[in-house]
């Protein structure tokens, strides 16, 4: 099966946060608050995937109420933060939704994502992922984390399934 056929089978997108949905930068303020930066084009693609009936989930070892709120506003309700066992959490999610591993795309960037990427049918990585992650990824984005890599894989899947739209009623990003 070629790579495009594998992308076409995807019904469920799962993303890490830091280094995938963000560029991995943390701004640390004097009051102890951490602020992350996310890409607006990734946000549009995430909303469109949800609107088109794809499952979208986020599994992160980090914790951020602001990130959770942002993702919820994009229509993503399956946001799992402070997860120490990503493979276990995703296995539970796959069983809960009666999914086949072949239909799950996971994009991760670093060692905590290694085991879960070995499990899914479509493991993907941003261009700036750790070498160990790139070695097991079936697809490596041309873009780094937080700079549109999420949009790139979502757009690929939606286009292959004739679900990509140039004109939509999605207003907010």
């Amino acid at each position: 099966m070629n790579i495009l056929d594998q992308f076409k089978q995807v019904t469920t997108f799962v993303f890490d946060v830091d280094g995938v949905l963000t560029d991995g930068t943390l701004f640390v303020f004097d009051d102890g608050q951490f602020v992350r930066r996310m890409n607006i084009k990734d946000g549009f693609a995430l909303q469109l995937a949800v609107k088109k009936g794809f499952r979208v989930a986020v599994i992160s070892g980090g914790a951020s109420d602001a990130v959770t709120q942002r993702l919820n506003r994009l229509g993503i309700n399956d946001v799992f933060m402070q997860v120490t066992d990503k493979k276990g959490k995703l296995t539970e999610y796959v069983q809960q939704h009666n999914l086949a591993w072949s239909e799950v795309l996971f994009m991760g960037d670093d060692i905590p994502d290694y085991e879960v990427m070995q499990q899914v049918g479509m493991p993907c990585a941003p261009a700036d992922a750790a070498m160990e992650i790139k070695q097991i990824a079936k697809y490596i984005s041309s873009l780094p984390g937080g700079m549109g890599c999420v949009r790139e894989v979502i757009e690929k899947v939606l286009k292959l399934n004739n679900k990509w739209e140039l004109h939509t009623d999605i207003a907010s990003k």
Side-chain angles (χ1 to χ4, degrees):
M1 179 180 302
N2 72 39
I3 190 88
L4 294 179
D5 290 336
Q6 290 177 313
F7 269 115
K8 192 169 184 179
Q9 288 186 17
V10 171
T11 65
T12 304
F13 297 99
V14 185
F15 299 102
D16 178 33
V17 174
D18 293 320
V20 174
L21 286 167
T22 76
D23 65 4
T25 300
L26 277 180
F27 295 98
V28 181
F29 292 95
D30 288 339
D31 64 1
Q33 182 180 5
F34 300 115
V35 177
R36 293 161 170 90
R37 184 170 73 167
M38 300 176 103
N39 187 292
I40 203 80
K41 290 180 180 134
D42 287 344
F44 172 80
L46 288 163
Q47 282 187 79
L48 186 57
V50 170
K51 177 185 174 202
K52 292 299 180 177
F54 288 83
R55 246 181 222 89
V56 179
V58 171
I59 300 176
S60 176
S64 169
D65 289 339
V67 169
T68 300
Q69 289 172 20
R70 162 96 175 125
L71 295 168
N72 289 165
R73 282 193 303 268
L74 295 173
I76 302 164
N77 297 315
D78 296 328
V79 179
F80 308 103
M81 302 295 272
Q82 292 185 293
V83 175
T84 55
D85 178 9
K86 290 184 181 186
K87 181 180 175 185
K89 176 51 84 177
L90 187 53
T91 299
E92 178 184 311
Y93 185 82
V94 164
Q95 291 171 348
Q96 177 185 1
H97 294 284
N98 198 28
L99 301 170
W101 285 108
S102 61
E103 62 188 297
V104 179
L105 180 152
F106 181 89
M107 182 175 265
D109 72 307
D110 211 346
I111 302 305
D113 304 316
Y114 190 86
E115 283 188 343
V116 72
M117 286 183 65
Q118 290 182 308
Q119 188 71 40
V120 299
M122 196 65 219
C124 298
D128 59 343
M131 188 53 63
E132 296 87 350
I133 297 302
K134 288 181 178 181
Q135 289 172 344
I136 62 170
K138 288 185 180 176
Y139 181 79
I140 300 170
S141 173
S142 63
L143 300 167
M147 298 295 175
C149 63
V150 168
R151 159 82 175 248
E152 183 179 7
V153 295
I154 291 174
E155 185 174 337
K156 196 172 293 298
V157 170
L158 268 60
K159 282 183 175 179
L160 286 167
N161 288 287
N162 298 314
K163 303 224 177 201
W164 185 257
E165 292 183 16
L166 295 179
H167 303 285
T168 69
D169 60 357
I170 295 175
S172 66
K173 298 180 190 177

